[in-house]
């Protein structure tokens, strides 16, 4: 047992009750579930709550389209979400809904406290209004042509084609997604949370270890731009909670969404007799952690701690952000069959394959991870089936047939068993710090060692020799005991497989391995396959079942004629285009930080006959002083580009997977400034 039992409350971001869970969502819930299971296995008092995010305009409109009430829609969605999570072994202590009395009570309590302290203000704003549906339109419900590049079917806040941001009023030929009618401007009085009142508190909080450094750096942009009051109200018609003493005005969904954590936990407290204030009071000594995606850090690391502080509640111990999921190196695509719903995956493959694969790829950094199907099959087959399960498989037959299922009375090599136990602290630290990939590599190394031990001892050879029973018994018993320890390490990641292993081993629920001693003179059960290899036919069927035609996913009809279709990929170039690129070696004469930029460094590079300035996104890999005097390859004939932080007169080429692993040339490789790359 741990020296001190910690009191921990953990949440994941709330899934929106407007559609099914997909494998991109599951990155977060699996990441969180592994962490919670690890804490519980270590003996800590760790509770995990979540809820469906059940309010907002999209839910109201979808319910209208389906001819049902919003309440019916979110109730049906809750059943589906709950089943998907359960089948992926995401073990919430409570999975609730924000459309609840508990969440409503806390939303009103927090709002009233903020209002009483002067942190709420109101003013009239002008918004886009649908004259047919008689409703104000969120930016995402307005579409038109991008004012910068002319791309059709772009949302009212940003262009997915060129990346430009703008106001909905800037869209060309704007239409309401709801009715197809042109929006009009209309005034309305809105309520705002004065985020500026908490600027000093937030600057300190975001730099006090509560969030990852990458996120803190990103949030500095908010402070540099100047915090703005946050619009927390929406006009009727709207599905949500009405603001106290403000008829026809409703809380914006993002106000009550994080409050849903409190609502779900209060519901759990009422069911289990727990003390809510022990976790949420201002003087609480409990730990509170939020696992979220990198796209919602402003809500969780600015608005949320400010709201809690203003309403006299505690702030989170930490907010852990993660990146997005790509599939085969690209964004999830319905046309390619890589936009995979949780239920579609479950119809074809073992959920523990995905749990293990995500664990093998996840780290504490805010990085996107890629689901590569070939790598997916290889990792599962190699790491879990060929290595881990194989240990039990190759030893259990001898124990069952030759020794009536009874392990030996002594440990053949106690030093080896202890070596496996001694890995406990390092692997525990990997789990604790969310470095799951490092934990999986360490566990895999132990499995390699166990298999090597069996290979060296060759029990299949001993089994054919007279008078070798005692030695055979000892070797296979130790092999089973090494598997016993490895299974305990893997329990947070593949709980269903380990439950089967516990049945095979004839033991109670496995604790963390530092509490294990060898199973001696112990009876085991008949071995049954704990996990099978990934079936390539089932994987192919999964991809096929996930494909949809592009016509099915188009949200509204095109307002322009489609470009002529060709058989060529849109991102392919001709050879003649490629030879126009002038690649040259350049010396980095000077490197410096770019004030306000999270990823950029300003480089002064020389090709021998001229110097130029290039803004390069390699700050994650290099400090400026590490670059001066190095060589790099640049695109020398790239047209200068005006960027937010200045003019960039070329492009630096680098190699590597990204983040800290970006490589450029060393000065001693024979290359010279000005040399052309052919």
């Amino acid at each position: 047992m741990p020296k001190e039992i910690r009191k921990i409350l953990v949440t994941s971001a709330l899934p929106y009750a407007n559609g099914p869970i997909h494998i991109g969502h599951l990155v977060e819930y699996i990441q969180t579930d592994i962490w919670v299971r690890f804490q519980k296995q270590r003996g800590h008092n760790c509770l995990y709550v979540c809820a469906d995010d059940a309010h907002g305009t999209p839910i109201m409109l979808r319910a209208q389209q389906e001819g049902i009430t919003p309440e019916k829609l979110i109730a049906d969605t809750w059943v589906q979400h709950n089943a998907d999570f359960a089948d992926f072994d995401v073990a919430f202590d409570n999975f609730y809904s924000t459309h609840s009395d508990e969440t409503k009570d806390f939303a009103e309590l927090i709002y009233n406290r903020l209002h009483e302290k002067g942190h709420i203000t109101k003013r009239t704003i002008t918004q886009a209004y649908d004259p047919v549906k008689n409703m104000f339109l969120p930016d995402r419900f307005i579409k038109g042509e991008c004012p910068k590049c002319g791309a059709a079917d772009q949302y009212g806040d940003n262009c997915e084609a060129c990346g430009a941001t703008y106001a909905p009023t800037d869209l060309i030929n704007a239409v309401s997604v709801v009715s197809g009618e042109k929006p009009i401007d209309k005034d309305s009085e809105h309520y705002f949370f004065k985020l500026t009142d908490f600027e000093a508190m937030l600057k300190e909080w975001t730099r006090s270890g509560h969030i990852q450094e990458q996120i803190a750096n990103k949030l500095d942009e908010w402070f540099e731009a100047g915090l703005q009051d946050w619009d927390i109200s929406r006009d009727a018609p709207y599905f949500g909670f009405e603001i106290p003493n403000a008829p026809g005005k409703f809380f914006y969904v993002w106000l009550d969404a994080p409050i849903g954590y409190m609502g779900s936990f209060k519901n759990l407290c009422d069911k289990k007799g727990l003390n809510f204030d022990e976790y949420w009071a201002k003087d609480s000594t409990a730990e509170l952690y939020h696992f979220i995606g990198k796209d919602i850090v402003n809500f969780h690391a600015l608005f949320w701690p400010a709201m809690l502080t203003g309403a006299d509640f505690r702030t989170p111990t930490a907010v852990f952000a993660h990146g997005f999921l790509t599939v085969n190196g690209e964004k999830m695509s319905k046309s390619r069959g890589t936009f995979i719903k949780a239920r579609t995956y479950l119809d074809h493959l073992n959920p523990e394959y995905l749990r293990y694969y995500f664990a093998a790829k996840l780290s504490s950094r805010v990085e996107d991870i890629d689901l590569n199907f070939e790598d997916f099959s290889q990792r599962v087959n190699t790491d879990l089936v060929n290595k881990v399960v194989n240990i039990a498989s190759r030893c259990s037959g001898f124990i069952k047939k030759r020794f009536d299922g009874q392990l030996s009375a002594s440990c053949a090599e106690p030093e080896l068993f202890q070596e496996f136990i001694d890995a406990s602290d390092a692997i525990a630290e990997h789990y604790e710090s969310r470095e799951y990939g490092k934990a999986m590599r360490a566990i895999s190394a132990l499995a390699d060692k166990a298999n090597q031990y069996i290979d060296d001892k060759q029990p299949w050879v001993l089994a054919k020799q007279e008078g070798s029973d005692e030695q055979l018994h000892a070797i296979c018993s130790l092999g089973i005991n090494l598997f016993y320890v490895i299974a305990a390490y893997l329990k947070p990641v593949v709980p269903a497989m380990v439950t089967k292993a516990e049945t095979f081993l004839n033991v109670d629920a496995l604790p963390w391995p530092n509490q294990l001693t060898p199973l001696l003179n112990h009876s085991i059960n008949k071995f049954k396959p704990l996990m099978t290899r990934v079936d390539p036919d089932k994987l192919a069927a999964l991809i096929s079942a996930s494909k949809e035609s592009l016509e099915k996913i188009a949200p509204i009809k095109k307002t322009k004629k489609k470009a002529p279709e060709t058989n060529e990929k849109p991102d392919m170039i001709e050879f003649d285009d490629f030879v126009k690129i002038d690649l040259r070696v350049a010396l980095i004469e000077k490197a410096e930080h770019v004030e306000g930029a999270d990823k950029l460094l300003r480089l002064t590079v020389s090709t021998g006959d001229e110097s130029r300035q290039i803004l390069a996104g390699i700050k994650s890999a290099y400090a400026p002083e590490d670059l001066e005097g190095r060589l790099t390859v640049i695109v020398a004939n790239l047209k200068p580009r005006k960027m937010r932080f200045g003019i960039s007169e070329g492009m630096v080429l680098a190699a590597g997977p990204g983040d800290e692993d970006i490589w450029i040339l060393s000065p001693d490789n024979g290359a010279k400034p000005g040399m052309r790359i052919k």
Side-chain angles (χ1 to χ4, degrees):
M1 296 293 286
K3 294 179 181 178
E4 182 180 348
I5 297 178
R6 296 157 59 186
K7 186 178 292 184
I8 309 169
L9 176 59
V10 180
T11 76
S12 294
L14 312 184
Y16 200 44
N18 190 37
I21 302 298
H22 59 68
I23 59 172
H25 295 132
L26 287 168
V27 171
E28 178 171 312
Y29 301 104
I30 289 173
Q31 181 191 38
T32 316
D33 183 73
I34 289 171
W35 200 80
V36 170
R37 285 179 180 274
F38 162 72
Q39 300 296 351
K40 290 183 176 182
Q41 190 181 4
R42 296 272 282 174
H44 296 303
N45 180 0
C46 186
L47 298 169
Y48 181 21
V49 301
C50 195
D52 265 343
D53 184 2
H55 290 155
T57 302
I59 285 173
M60 177 185 72
L61 293 176
R62 183 180 167 195
Q64 290 176 4
Q65 291 171 354
E66 295 188 9
I68 58 177
T69 65
E71 289 83 0
K72 170 65 173 169
L73 173 64
I74 63 175
D76 291 346
T77 303
W78 184 91
V79 172
Q80 296 166 10
H81 285 184
N82 198 47
D84 288 346
F85 287 134
D87 288 346
F88 269 97
D89 275 325
V90 177
F92 300 114
D93 289 283
N94 199 46
F95 184 69
Y96 204 39
S97 170
T98 57
H99 192 65
S100 66
D101 291 339
E102 295 91 341
T103 303
K104 182 175 184 290
D105 290 344
F106 280 115
E108 292 179 350
L109 174 64
I110 288 173
Y111 171 82
N112 286 332
R113 286 182 178 179
L114 294 173
H115 191 275
E116 290 165 5
K117 294 181 179 182
H119 300 310
I120 302 295
T121 186
K122 57 183 178 179
R123 64 175 179 268
T124 298
I125 64 171
T126 302
Q127 291 178 281
Y129 187 82
D130 188 321
V132 175
K133 291 294 185 178
N134 295 317
M135 61 179 289
F136 287 97
L137 295 168
D139 293 347
R140 302 294 282 183
F141 281 79
I142 306 168
K143 280 199 168 185
E145 299 162 25
C146 172
K148 304 294 175 65
C149 73
D153 282 350
Q154 298 306 310
Y155 290 110
D157 53 358
N158 73 283
C159 176
E160 294 183 342
C162 72
T165 58
Y166 40 74
T169 52
D170 294 333
L171 277 176
I172 301 169
N173 297 325
V175 295
S176 164
V177 173
V178 184
S179 68
E181 191 70 19
K182 180 179 179 180
I184 63 173
D185 291 341
K186 188 172 182 179
D187 292 343
S188 176
E189 187 175 65
H190 273 228
Y191 290 75
F192 292 82
F193 172 50
K194 296 165 69 175
L195 190 64
T196 50
D197 291 353
F198 300 90
E199 182 170 358
M201 168 260 160
L202 289 171
K203 282 184 175 179
E204 180 181 358
W205 190 86
T206 55
R207 288 295 180 181
S208 300
H210 300 292
I211 55 179
Q212 293 123 303
E213 186 177 359
Q214 291 166 273
I215 299 301
N217 292 339
K218 187 67 178 175
L219 292 179
D220 278 347
E221 297 177 10
W222 285 69
F223 297 120
E224 291 164 7
L227 296 181
Q228 304 293 319
D229 293 344
W230 179 38
D231 189 345
I232 60 168
S233 66
R234 293 295 184 267
D235 293 279
Y238 191 82
F239 183 59
F241 297 137
E242 197 166 32
I243 298 176
N245 303 311
K249 304 291 181 180
F250 292 80
F251 287 128
Y252 173 42
V253 61
W254 263 111
L255 180 125
D256 59 58
I259 295 173
Y261 302 143
M262 304 173 84
S264 182
F265 184 63
K266 182 62 168 65
N267 180 257
L268 178 65
C269 289
D270 293 343
K271 290 191 291 190
K272 300 291 186 181
L274 302 173
N275 187 327
F276 180 89
D277 290 338
E278 287 184 6
Y279 292 82
W280 287 97
K282 201 170 185 178
D283 59 354
S284 169
T285 58
E287 301 170 50
L288 172 61
Y289 299 100
H290 300 311
F291 285 74
I292 64 165
K294 65 181 180 181
D295 55 327
I296 54 175
V297 292
N298 55 321
F299 294 105
H300 283 82
L302 291 177
F303 304 156
W304 180 230
M307 286 168 52
L308 290 169
T309 299
D312 294 325
F313 287 103
R314 58 88 49 83
T315 54
T317 306
V319 175
F320 299 136
H322 61 82
F324 298 142
L325 178 71
T326 58
V327 180
N328 288 343
E330 300 179 358
K331 289 183 179 180
M332 289 191 292
S333 164
K334 293 183 180 179
S335 63
R336 292 186 178 93
T338 56
F339 189 95
I340 302 171
K341 297 175 185 177
R343 184 51 52 184
T344 308
Y345 178 98
L346 290 164
D347 288 341
H348 295 85
L349 294 175
N350 184 338
E352 300 224 308
Y353 295 164
L354 196 65
R355 287 182 64 100
Y356 180 79
Y357 188 76
F358 282 169
K361 303 280 279 189
L362 280 165
S363 72
S364 63
R365 297 181 296 279
V366 191
E367 296 177 342
D368 295 350
I369 67 171
D370 184 55
L371 168 57
N372 178 281
F373 289 132
E374 184 177 348
D375 183 44
F376 169 83
S377 297
Q378 185 173 348
R379 281 184 188 251
V380 171
N381 294 342
T382 301
D383 294 358
L384 288 182
V385 181
N386 295 354
K387 288 185 182 181
V388 176
V389 174
N390 191 46
I391 300 168
S393 175
R394 63 198 309 203
C395 293
S396 60
F398 295 118
I399 296 294
K400 200 66 182 175
K401 293 175 184 176
R402 301 284 286 265
F403 308 105
D404 198 27
Q406 195 82 0
L407 299 179
S408 64
S410 61
C411 183
E413 296 192 30
E415 299 84 3
L416 180 58
F417 181 85
Q418 189 59 44
E419 184 181 339
F420 277 50
I421 299 297
D422 288 344
S424 166
D425 288 346
I427 294 175
E429 178 54 34
H430 293 327
Y431 273 121
E432 179 72 39
S433 60
R434 308 176 320 286
E435 292 287 351
Y436 300 161
K438 291 181 179 179
M440 297 308 101
R441 289 192 289 274
I443 296 167
S444 185
L446 292 178
D448 285 336
K449 190 164 291 188
N451 279 298
Q452 188 61 53
Y453 168 78
I454 297 167
D455 289 342
D456 291 343
K457 298 299 182 181
Q458 296 183 312
W460 55 91
V461 174
L462 288 172
K464 299 175 183 178
Q465 298 175 357
E466 291 288 337
S468 62
D469 276 8
E470 183 177 348
Q471 191 179 1
L472 176 66
H473 197 192
I475 292 168
C476 292
S477 294
L478 180 56
I480 295 294
N481 271 290
L482 297 181
F483 168 77
Y484 172 52
V485 179
I486 292 170
Y489 283 129
L490 283 172
K491 188 172 183 177
V493 177
V494 283
M497 188 188 91
V498 174
T499 297
K500 294 178 184 177
E502 289 164 345
T503 300
F504 157 65
L505 293 166
N506 193 25
V507 295
D508 294 332
L510 286 169
W512 189 247
N514 63 353
Q515 302 174 48
L516 298 180
T517 56
L519 299 172
L520 304 177
N521 201 24
H522 175 84
S523 178
I524 62 173
N525 292 314
K526 182 179 179 181
F527 178 81
K528 296 179 181 179
L530 305 178
M531 182 171 285
T532 57
R533 296 168 62 85
V534 177
D535 185 334
D537 291 338
K538 290 183 178 180
L539 183 57
L542 167 65
I543 297 170
S544 178
S546 300
K547 286 186 178 179
E548 292 184 15
S549 71
L550 292 175
E551 290 299 320
K552 289 183 179 178
I553 31 172
I556 61 173
K557 292 183 178 179
K558 299 282 186 181
T559 55
K560 281 188 172 182
K561 292 183 179 179
K562 293 182 180 179
E565 293 185 0
T566 69
N567 292 325
E568 296 178 1
K569 295 181 180 180
D571 56 350
M572 301 296 286
I573 64 172
E574 297 289 345
F575 181 77
D576 289 343
D577 296 320
F578 175 73
V579 297
K580 295 176 184 177
I581 302 173
D582 184 4
L583 300 178
R584 297 197 187 189
V585 176
L587 174 69
I588 301 175
E589 298 178 327
K590 184 179 180 181
E592 55 189 334
H593 293 290
V594 178
E595 185 176 354
D598 189 30
K599 300 179 180 179
L600 295 178
L601 292 177
R602 180 178 286 107
L603 308 180
T604 301
V605 303
S606 172
T607 58
D609 55 359
E610 66 169 335
S611 293
R612 62 178 72 183
Q613 172 185 280
I614 295 178
L615 298 177
I618 57 175
K619 188 174 180 179
S620 61
Y622 293 100
E625 58 269 21
D626 297 332
L627 288 170
E628 293 179 359
R630 284 189 179 231
L631 299 174
T632 186
V633 176
I634 67 168
V635 180
N637 61 340
L638 187 67
K639 184 178 179 181
R641 180 187 177 196
K642 185 177 181 181
M643 301 175 67
R644 176 183 171 189
F645 298 101
I647 301 292
S648 185
E649 300 172 308
M651 177 182 290
V652 168
L653 302 187
D659 197 48
E660 298 176 0
D661 296 326
I662 298 174
W663 304 298
I664 59 175
L665 301 176
S666 298
D668 57 355
N669 60 4
K672 303 294 182 184
M675 182 182 292
R676 289 191 173 185
I677 308 297
K678 296 184 179 180

